[in-house]
Amino acid sequence: MTDKNKIPYKIYLEEQEMPKQWYNVRADMKHKPAPLLNPDTLQPMTAEELSGVFCEELVKQELDDTTAYFDIPKEILDFYKMYRPSPLVRAYCLEEALGTPAKIYYKFEGNNTSGSHKLNSAIAQAYYAKKQGLKGVTTETGAGQWGTALSMACAYLGLDCRVYMVKCSYEQKPFRREVMRTYGANVTPSPSELTRVGRKILAEHPGTTGSLGCAISEAVEDATSHEGYRYVLGSVLSQVMLHQSVIGLETKAALDKYNITPDIIIGCAGGGSNLGGLIAPFMGEKLRGEKDYRFIAVEPASCPSLTRGRYAYDYCDTGMVCPLAKMYTLGSGFIPSANHAGGLRYHGMSSVLSQLYDDKLMTAVSVEQTSVFDAATKFARIEGILPAPESSHAIKVAIDEAMRCKETGETKTIVFGLTGTGYFDMVAYGKYNDGDMHDYVPTDAELEAGFAGLPNVNL
Ligand SMILES: *Cc1c(COP(=O)(O)O)cnc(C)c1O
């Protein structure tokens, strides 16, 4: 009997099998992630200090290293029901095309209008803002996925949403911009004249097309200078990883139904939220000594924070207004070369994943973008889904691992996170199809220049 008779192409979860709580992997970590520091005093940020920037309930989640499970509020569960569970697909067609004995599964998060996993945390953050009685939230967006997700969540809850969009994306991705505006968000190209930090950056670098770090600084300033507003962030923070644990919990519930135990779990890593969420319950088992898994973070060779970065306290934004975080980083001044996986261009990495990586509980690899688009195109033609460039980093490494199994004859079970669709990335696919895509790997000297900007806390 082949697997096809036993395990369906898609493993569904019934409503009663859906996760009702998020899982906080920090509760099971022996070495806790280092605390956020106040950039002025260099002391750990207190709840009071953080609550000037973030919603109260989210501050509690951010600082809680010990509570393993958080109930998902009913309102959020109801919203999740509209697009979750996301499909867990057995990639039978890909296995066959590759001729591998490996069993490949992917968890597809692109099945909602925003097109990625980011909606899982957007709805949670918007909910807590609403519950606190706030008027609205501010944020930044690079490639646009987070801004789109947040706009949807705010529209649903009736909250004002102010998005600072990196100027080059604002101009190059008009469709993302219009989706956000259709959901009622106010979208401003960053750097802008609306904030002090924006005006300063414009004066120093006239004609700049902006960066994520700069847009963060503007969004934070906007929130802290307007009553009834708080800032929200789509990745990197521990609270975001907590919300994204819904990905891993669903994956585990679905696999458990068929007694499937993965050997290798793979995800792309930008700020670390989808990977952290996908691996969370499995990592929990590993941390508690119950099971062992191999976890692989995949990052672009052009922005290699885990594979070539330093584990150090760093600024989270260019304007240096945010708390300092200890993480694998390339330095907040590092500007990655133009790369079509906009969601993976952040200079740092979640402090939770950074600590797990430093403790050798997970591994990381970096891959070049043309090889990523080779894998993306192959996947689209075989499995049907047109993947986001970010997600395709995980596809590339899943295929590499499956081909290794073909050489050795091992029947490993591989699970990877397919974080989103590539519908809004057709300019990038166009470049690839025209043979006009290039790889760029920063030199050691370029990385040194980024490290030179690390704050002195690390001495
Ligand atoms: C934002 C994004 C990522 C990267 O963010 P993480 O926080 O590392 O998960 C990956 N894939 C897609 C589709 C995204 O939108």
Side-chain angles (χ1 to χ4, degrees), residues 131-456:
K131 199 172 148 223
Q132 194 176 321
L134 298 175
K135 285 186 216 143
V137 290
T138 72
T139 199
E140 77 295 330
T141 198
Q145 289 101 326
W146 168 244
T148 310
L150 189 68
S151 307
M152 281 178 73
C154 287
Y156 179 75
L157 294 167
L159 269 180
D160 189 26
C161 181
R162 302 171 57 87
V163 181
Y164 288 85
M165 185 168 189
V166 177
K167 193 181 274 166
C168 64
S169 305
Y170 183 90
E171 284 157 6
Q172 286 169 6
K173 300 208 163 182
F175 297 143
R176 279 263 175 222
R177 183 182 78 207
E178 290 316 315
V179 176
M180 287 185 257
R181 292 179 60 208
T182 302
Y183 281 99
N186 182 313
V187 188
T188 305
S190 164
S192 76
E193 296 282 348
L194 296 185
T195 63
R196 205 157 23 98
V197 61
R199 289 190 292 273
K200 180 160 172 274
I201 291 167
L202 281 174
E204 284 168 10
H205 308 277
T208 174
T209 53
S211 71
L212 207 53
C214 163
I216 297 177
S217 305
E218 287 206 88
V220 171
E221 183 184 321
D222 185 330
T224 50
S225 58
H226 290 98
E227 200 183 319
Y229 283 79
R230 291 292 185 280
Y231 168 70
V232 294
L233 181 61
S235 183
V236 187
L237 295 174
S238 304
Q239 56 185 275
V240 182
M241 210 175 121
L242 174 71
H243 308 145
Q244 295 297 357
S245 70
V246 70
I247 305 172
L249 292 162
E250 279 182 10
T251 303
K252 188 155 190 316
L255 293 175
D256 284 350
K257 269 172 81 160
Y258 290 87
N259 290 318
I260 302 160
T261 307
D263 298 292
I264 308 174
I265 305 178
I266 301 167
C268 63
S273 73
N274 87 82
L275 175 68
L278 173 66
I279 68 176
F282 302 96
M283 181 62 86
E285 290 184 310
K286 180 161 172 153
L287 288 164
R288 296 189 301 270
E290 295 162 10
K291 279 205 180 127
D292 198 13
Y293 302 98
R294 215 171 113 215
F295 302 108
I296 310 176
V298 190
E299 55 185 16
S302 58
C303 193
S305 37
L306 285 171
T307 50
R308 293 176 71 197
R310 296 253 170 95
Y311 190 32
Y313 269 104
D314 194 11
Y315 301 103
C316 295
D317 61 324
T318 315
M320 304 172 185
V321 296
C322 293
L324 298 172
K326 187 171 179 191
M327 55 188 177
Y328 274 84
T329 180
L330 298 167
S332 62
F334 178 80
I335 310 262
S337 66
N339 167 304
H340 293 291
L344 305 182
R345 295 187 72 214
Y346 189 62
H347 65 274
M349 183 59 59
S350 134
S351 60
V352 178
L353 287 190
S354 292
Q355 185 62 48
L356 291 168
Y357 180 66
D358 203 55
D359 286 338
K360 312 237 174 328
L361 290 157
M362 64 177 229
T363 59
V365 294
S366 72
V367 290
E368 293 178 23
Q369 66 175 348
T370 46
S371 70
V372 166
F373 276 80
D374 288 343
T377 306
K378 184 182 243 170
F379 185 82
R381 293 179 188 177
I382 297 169
E383 285 285 324
I385 293 174
L386 180 73
E390 292 87 352
S391 324
S392 305
H393 286 67
I395 298 176
K396 155 78 180 137
V397 171
I399 292 178
D400 288 350
E401 290 295 330
M403 292 312 283
R404 203 161 293 151
C405 288
K406 186 174 175 175
E407 279 165 31
T408 60
E410 286 170 292
T411 54
K412 287 194 174 145
T413 297
I414 300 169
V415 173
F416 72 90
L418 190 66
T419 50
T421 69
Y423 292 140
F424 287 107
D425 299 286
M426 295 326 289
V427 173
Y429 275 95
K431 278 244 158 69
Y432 172 78
N433 292 332
D434 288 341
D436 201 17
M437 179 173 282
H438 306 287
D439 293 325
Y440 187 77
V441 181
T443 62
D444 288 340
E446 283 166 319
L447 294 186
E448 282 305 323
F451 298 143
L454 289 172
N456 284 330

Side-chain angles (χ1 to χ4, degrees), residues 14-169:
E14 303 296 331
E15 205 175 305
Q16 68 275 11
E17 297 170 317
M18 301 260 291
K20 305 285 183 298
Q21 294 178 310
W22 291 303
Y23 167 63
N24 180 13
V25 73
R26 287 171 289 166
D28 284 306
M29 289 170 68
K30 276 191 206 82
H31 300 152
K32 305 291 183 194
L36 295 169
L37 298 186
N38 180 316
D40 299 324
T41 64
L42 301 185
Q43 294 303 305
M45 289 290 288
T46 62
E48 199 187 334
E49 287 167 337
L50 282 172
S51 62
V53 181
F54 300 113
C55 309
E56 281 155 29
E57 205 62 39
L58 294 167
V59 169
K60 276 191 211 148
Q61 294 178 357
E62 191 63 33
L63 296 177
D64 193 330
D65 281 349
T66 53
T67 307
Y69 289 94
F70 286 77
D71 286 339
I72 306 175
K74 181 178 174 303
E75 292 83 347
I76 300 176
L77 284 175
D78 285 345
F79 187 84
Y80 279 171
K81 278 180 206 159
M82 292 197 282
Y83 71 100
R84 309 202 67 83
S86 69
L88 180 72
V89 182
R90 173 72 182 268
Y92 283 119
C93 300
L94 182 63
E95 290 170 17
E96 204 173 300
L98 298 176
T100 175
K103 301 162 199 294
I104 309 173
Y105 296 84
Y106 59 89
K107 180 77 167 158
F108 181 48
E109 291 290 322
N111 250 358
N112 65 78
T113 297
S114 74
S116 80
H117 65 284
K118 292 203 171 68
L119 193 56
N120 301 332
S121 183
I123 187 62
Q125 298 192 43
Y127 168 78
Y128 291 117
K130 180 80 183 175
K131 199 172 148 223
Q132 194 176 321
L134 298 175
K135 285 186 216 143
V137 290
T138 72
T139 199
E140 77 295 330
T141 198
Q145 289 101 326
W146 168 244
T148 310
L150 189 68
S151 307
M152 281 178 73
C154 287
Y156 179 75
L157 294 167
L159 269 180
D160 189 26
C161 181
R162 302 171 57 87
V163 181
Y164 288 85
M165 185 168 189
V166 177
K167 193 181 274 166
C168 64
S169 305

